[in-house]
Amino acid sequence: MRSSSLQLFSFFHLNLMYSSIEEHQRLQVIERCYWPLLDLTERYNIKLGIEASGITLEIIQDLDPHWIAKLKQLQNRGLCEFIGCGYAQIIGPLVPSLVNAKNLSFGQQIYQEKLGNRPQISLINEQAYSAGLIPHYLNVGDRAIIMEWNNPFRHHPEWQPEWRYLPQLACTHQGDEIPLIWNKSIAFQKFQRYAHGEIELDEHLHYLETHLATQPRAFPLYGNDAEIFGYRPGRYHTEAEIEFDEWQRIEELFSTLTADDRFEFISPSQVLNLMQVLNAGNRLYLESAEQPIPVKKQGKYNITRWSVTGRNDLGINTACWRIFDRLKQNPDTSDRQWRELCYLWSSDFRTHITETRWSNYQKCLKTLAKEVGILEPVPPIFASISGDRDFSETLPDDIQVEREKRYLNIVTPGARICLNCRRGLAIERFGVDRTGEDWLVGTLHHGYYDDIQWGADYYTGHLVFETPGQPKVADLNPVEPIVRYDRQRELLQIEGIVATPLGNVRKRICIPREKPRISIAYQLDWGEQPIGALRLGHITLNPKAFQSSQLFYRNHQGGDLPETFFPNDRPIDHSRSVSFLVSAESGIGLTQGWIEVGDRQRWLRIGIDRQYSMLLGMFQYQRIDPDYFCRLLFSAREMDETSRIDPMRSSYPLSCAISIEVRS
C-alpha cells in the first residue's frame, strides 16, 4: 500500500505599495521581510514562489538593487519561481477591460526588464476574481492563474472536496479556459498564526497531516503577504507585538517539513504536473449569482472593500473613470499616462492608507486629471443644466401628465409612469403598456406578501442611508414636483426637493418622449456624511412580469464580454451585513456602466452615469411562495474597518444618476 504524502508549495506576496506602510519605511521592509525570504530559500534549498507587481519591483530596484540581483540568481538556480500580477495591484473586476489589458502588459514588460524573463503564472490580485479576466491572462501568455478555493467552493456545493488538492480549469461561458492553481485562505492564516506564535509547531503539523492522502495531492503551505513577518504594517490597533524572531519560527517549520519524507516541496508551477491525475482538470465556473466576484478570506473581506469604503473609494474610483474616458478618446495618449492611471487604480489607496500617502495620492490624481483636461471636483448634477434651454410648461399632445391625489401619472408614446409624491417621487409603476396594466418595476405595497417577515413597502427609485445606532434616513418624504418639458431634447423632467434629517435630497426624473426609458438623478445637499451604508436607485421587479425560472442579471466585470448570472431560486442578498462593522457581503462590478436584469422575453438595462459616481451594483432575490422578491440596487457607500470620514466629501454635493430602459 502506498504511504500517505503531500506535495507542498508556497508563494509570498511582496507589496511595497502596502496601504499602511509609509514610503520611508520601505527599505526597512526589504531588510526585515524580503531578504529573510531569499535567505530561507537558499539555506534550505526549497522551491518558493515570489509574487510582486511591476511597481514593487521598480521600488526595490531603486532602494536595494542587490535584492533584485539575488532574486535573479536564485531564479536561475530554480529555487525561486516568480509569479506576476501586473504593473499595479488593481482590482480587475472593478476597472475597464482596456486598463486590465494594459496593466498586465506593462507588468510583463517590467518583469522582463528587471528579471530577464516573463512569468507564466499570475496571482489574481487580492483574489478578487471574475470570469471576464481570463482572456486578459491568456492574451499575455500565462499558463495558469492562482485563485482562492474557499469562497468559490462555498457557493458551489456540487464541487467535490478532493478538487481542492489538484489543478483545475477556470472557464468563461464563452469557451475560454485557463489552468487554475488553488490558494487557500485557511491554510495561509494557519501559517500566519504559527509564525506569530498563536499556535505551536506541533499544532500546525497536525493541521497539515489532516491533508495527507495516498492519492496525489498538492497543498499551499502559504500564499499571502510577506510584510507581516518580522514587521508590522500597522493596519490594526490589535496587531500583536513582535516578541521573537518570526522568520526563525518559519525556518523551523520548513526544516521540520524537509526532514519529514511524507512532505515534498514543489514550485507553484509543478502543481500543473498533476493535471492528468484523477479529479484534476475539471472545467469550473468560479463565480456565482450569490458571489459574482469571489474574494479571499472571510466575508468581511469582500469587493465593497475597494469600491465604496475606505476614505473615499467612490470619489477616487469615479475620478479614475473620468481620466480613463479622456485617455481612451485621445489617440495621442502615452504609455506613461496609462501606467500612471494603473498606479492610481492600485488597491492599496482604497484601504488603510495613511494620511501622508493619502495626501500625496490626491495630488497625483489631480495632476493627471489636469493633464488630460479635467477640472475637479465634478460639478453638482443639478448645476449642469444650462439656463438657456427651452423649458416649457406646455406639453406635446402625445404626453399626458395628471396629478391624482398623491400620484403623478405620466403617459408618453414610449412608456407609462406613476410617481408617488408622498414618497419622494418613488416610482409606483413603470412599464411600456399605455394602459398601465403590464408594469415591470415599481412599488410592492405592505401586504403584497402574506409573510410577516416581508410585511413592508418595497419602493423603486428611492435612497436609504444607515449608520450604526441611528434611525434610517430615506428620501421617502412628501414633495411637490415641478414638471418641465425640454423641447430641444424632447425630454420630460420632474424635479423635487426631499427634506431629510441630514439635509435635502434633490431629485430629477427624466423621461424621453418616445423611448421606454426613465432616468433618476440624485444630489445630496448634505454636510459631512457619517460612516455608514448609502444605497440608492432601488429597482423592485414586478413578480408577475418576469418568470422566476428564467431570471438573470448580466454585466461586465473587467472583461470585454458580459457575464450572466442565474439566481435559480436561491436566496441572494449582496447588501446583507456581515457584522456590525461590515455593512455588505458582496457586489457587482459595472465596468461597462450598465447591468441587465429580466428573463428571456424582456429585460431591463439599468445604466449608471460614471462621470458622477462609479456605483457598485447589488442584487437581491428571495423565493416567497407562491411568488418571489427581486430587486437591484446601487451602493455609493459601505462600511468596514477601512472606512474613514474624508473632509473633502463635504466640499461638494454627492451626485448620482441611473437610468432604466426596457429591452426585449
Side-chain angles (χ1 to χ4, degrees):
M1 179 180 293
R2 180 179 174 180
S3 60
S4 297
S5 63
L6 189 64
Q7 294 182 334
L8 297 175
F9 67 96
S10 301
F11 66 90
F12 288 76
H13 168 59
L14 278 54
N15 180 22
L16 284 179
M17 291 287 290
Y18 209 116
S19 58
S20 55
I21 296 176
E22 299 285 10
E23 292 185 20
H24 70 268
Q25 297 172 316
R26 288 171 173 170
L27 185 57
Q28 195 176 30
V29 171
I30 296 171
E31 294 171 349
R32 292 188 181 182
C33 307
Y34 297 175
W35 273 111
L37 180 58
L38 298 187
D39 293 341
L40 173 70
T41 304
E42 188 169 37
R43 182 175 297 114
Y44 290 94
N45 207 38
I46 296 173
K47 299 175 181 178
L48 290 181
I50 290 181
E51 179 270 333
S53 67
I55 292 176
T56 288
L57 285 190
E58 288 181 325
I59 296 172
I60 298 174
Q61 180 70 52
D62 289 341
L63 296 178
D64 191 348
H66 296 296
W67 190 92
I68 297 289
K70 186 65 174 181
L71 172 62
K72 290 174 65 176
Q73 180 189 97
L74 293 175
Q75 188 177 245
N76 293 336
R77 290 170 55 188
L79 293 180
C80 279
E81 180 170 78
F82 192 81
I83 298 166
C85 74
Y87 177 69
Q89 182 177 269
I90 63 177
I91 306 302
L94 297 178
V95 305
S97 178
L98 179 58
V99 171
N100 278 318
K102 288 187 175 295
N103 187 58
L104 290 176
S105 177
F106 291 146
Q108 293 285 15
Q109 292 173 22
I110 296 297
Y111 300 144
Q112 181 69 51
E113 176 188 330
K114 304 299 181 187
L115 301 177
N117 55 54
R118 299 187 174 206
Q120 295 185 319
I121 296 176
S122 285
L123 176 70
I124 301 292
N125 287 327
E126 296 290 2
Q127 310 284 260
Y129 169 91
S130 68
L133 301 179
I134 289 178
H136 294 307
Y137 292 105
L138 292 173
N139 288 340
V140 295
D142 276 346
R143 288 179 58 207
I145 57 172
I146 299 176
M147 175 57 193
E148 191 226 40
W149 158 272
N150 304 85
N151 279 282
F153 175 64
R154 186 162 63 97
H155 295 291
H156 286 283
E158 74 278 11
W159 290 5
Q160 299 300 313
E162 187 65 24
W163 295 355
R164 81 185 83 175
Y165 300 106
L166 297 167
Q168 308 296 342
L169 296 171
C171 302
T172 72
H173 286 278
Q174 290 79 23
D176 290 313
E177 60 183 40
I178 190 169
L180 170 66
I181 298 169
W182 293 118
N183 189 20
K184 296 179 182 64
S185 291
I186 297 296
F188 72 64
Q189 288 172 337
K190 279 285 190 183
F191 185 100
Q192 290 168 355
R193 291 187 179 196
Y194 162 73
H196 291 163
E198 297 176 29
I199 62 174
E200 296 305 321
L201 179 60
D202 59 345
E203 295 176 74
H204 193 47
L205 290 174
H206 175 71
Y207 166 71
L208 295 175
E209 287 168 351
T210 64
H211 296 280
L212 291 167
T214 55
Q215 64 268 32
R217 281 182 173 183
F219 189 79
L221 179 64
Y222 188 68
N224 204 38
D225 302 336
E227 298 84 4
I228 59 173
F229 304 125
Y231 187 82
R232 292 293 181 268
R235 287 178 301 174
Y236 310 112
H237 296 299
T238 55
E239 285 182 340
E241 293 184 2
I242 300 174
E243 299 179 358
F244 37 75
D245 188 336
E246 292 171 350
W247 283 104
Q248 181 62 44
R249 286 179 65 86
I250 292 172
E251 285 194 20
E252 184 180 357
L253 172 63
F254 276 93
S255 175
T256 301
L257 292 173
T258 53
D260 191 328
D261 59 11
R262 295 176 300 171
F263 300 102
E264 176 191 1
F265 281 99
I266 63 173
S267 65
S269 65
Q270 287 179 296
V271 175
L272 300 175
N273 294 339
L274 301 177
M275 187 62 84
Q276 303 306 317
V277 170
L278 179 66
N279 287 315
N282 293 283
R283 301 183 77 255
L284 305 180
Y285 303 100
L286 278 60
E287 69 282 2
S288 62
E290 297 94 326
Q291 194 178 53
I293 305 176
V295 176
K296 66 182 179 180
K297 301 200 289 192
Q298 287 75 10
K300 65 180 181 180
Y301 204 83
N302 62 68
I303 198 62
T304 64
R305 186 178 188 86
W306 305 280
S307 54
V308 284
T309 62
R311 291 178 182 268
N312 188 3
D313 288 355
L314 181 74
I316 62 177
N317 287 340
T318 303
C320 286
W321 272 97
R322 297 181 75 212
I323 293 171
F324 166 73
D325 285 337
R326 293 295 182 94
L327 295 181
K328 184 176 63 172
Q329 294 166 12
N330 184 0
D332 297 324
T333 296
S334 66
D335 282 351
R336 177 194 61 80
Q337 290 172 316
W338 282 117
R339 282 196 298 271
E340 182 73 9
L341 180 58
C342 291
Y343 167 82
L344 293 171
W345 239 313
S346 297
S347 63
D348 291 289
F349 293 125
R350 289 150 175 82
T351 52
H352 298 277
I353 193 72
T354 65
E355 289 284 352
T356 301
R357 292 186 62 200
W358 176 246
S359 177
N360 291 337
Y361 173 80
Q362 289 180 309
K363 292 176 183 176
C364 292
L365 189 63
K366 291 177 180 177
T367 297
L368 186 57
K370 184 177 180 180
E371 184 179 322
V372 300
I374 296 175
L375 299 177
E376 295 287 349
V378 184
I381 199 166
F382 275 64
S384 64
I385 299 177
S386 173
D388 59 0
R389 286 201 181 277
D390 180 17
F391 289 116
S392 173
E393 300 289 340
T394 305
L395 302 177
D397 293 339
D398 55 3
I399 293 181
Q400 302 171 25
V401 179
E402 295 180 355
R403 178 71 179 265
E404 183 182 356
K405 297 182 180 179
R406 57 180 173 170
Y407 297 115
L408 189 68
N409 295 305
I410 302 160
V411 181
T412 72
R416 187 181 185 99
I417 298 102
C418 178
L419 305 177
N420 191 334
C421 300
R422 287 184 58 82
R423 291 292 181 262
L425 299 178
I427 299 173
E428 182 72 12
R429 300 283 188 270
F430 169 54
V432 295
D433 178 9
R434 287 173 65 89
T435 68
E437 297 296 324
D438 184 19
W439 58 280
L440 303 177
V441 300
T443 299
L444 302 177
H445 288 287
H446 175 261
Y448 180 89
Y449 297 109
D450 191 22
D451 183 329
I452 192 61
Q453 291 186 342
W454 294 85
D457 295 297
Y458 298 98
Y459 297 99
T460 288
H462 64 299
L463 68 79
V464 177
F465 176 75
E466 295 183 84
T467 190
Q470 299 295 325
K472 290 183 181 180
V473 175
D475 66 341
L476 294 170
N477 298 322
V479 60
E480 285 302 317
I482 299 171
V483 180
R484 298 189 179 99
Y485 186 70
D486 182 347
R487 291 187 176 277
Q488 180 180 335
R489 295 188 296 171
E490 294 190 303
L491 197 67
L492 185 69
Q493 295 186 340
I494 301 97
E495 296 184 11
I497 299 177
V498 186
T500 78
L502 292 176
N504 290 335
V505 175
R506 297 176 183 265
K507 203 166 185 178
R508 179 191 300 137
I509 295 174
C510 294
I511 305 163
R513 179 170 168 268
E514 295 188 349
K515 292 182 179 180
R517 188 175 188 270
I518 184 171
S519 62
I520 311 169
Y522 308 83
Q523 180 175 304
L524 280 63
D525 295 333
W526 296 357
E528 186 176 84
Q529 182 184 313
I531 291 174
L534 174 62
R535 284 83 177 261
L536 47 82
H538 298 72
I539 300 168
T540 306
L541 270 61
N542 177 7
K544 307 300 184 186
F546 301 94
Q547 294 291 323
S548 63
S549 60
Q550 300 177 7
L551 271 178
F552 70 87
Y553 68 86
R554 178 167 53 221
N555 58 293
H556 291 76
Q557 301 189 126
D560 288 324
L561 298 174
E563 303 175 38
T564 304
F565 302 89
F566 298 92
N568 293 324
D569 268 350
R570 301 189 301 271
I572 299 169
D573 186 1
H574 298 159
S575 68
R576 181 172 47 226
S577 63
V578 176
S579 66
F580 284 115
L581 180 61
V582 181
S583 59
E585 64 177 29
S586 194
I588 303 168
L590 303 170
T591 57
Q592 283 287 359
W594 56 261
I595 180 171
E596 293 178 334
V597 60
D599 60 22
R600 292 174 186 169
Q601 285 69 46
R602 58 187 172 185
W603 57 91
L604 307 170
R605 173 170 285 192
I606 298 95
I608 62 170
D609 192 332
R610 294 175 299 194
Q611 292 295 311
Y612 289 107
S613 288
M614 186 56 213
L615 303 170
L616 181 72
M618 291 182 170
F619 185 80
Q620 298 172 323
Y621 177 86
Q622 177 66 52
R623 187 77 195 178
I624 310 171
D625 287 331
D627 234 322
Y628 68 87
F629 173 79
C630 185
R631 173 182 270 178
L632 185 69
L633 61 147
F634 300 90
S635 175
R637 178 91 159 136
E638 294 299 326
M639 180 179 69
D640 64 13
E641 89 283 358
T642 72
S643 298
R644 301 289 185 273
I645 294 177
D646 176 24
M648 288 297 294
R649 283 179 176 270
S650 60
S651 63
Y652 57 94
L654 173 64
S655 299
C656 306
I658 69 164
S659 62
I660 311 169
E661 185 171 347
V662 181
R663 298 287 182 101
S664 61

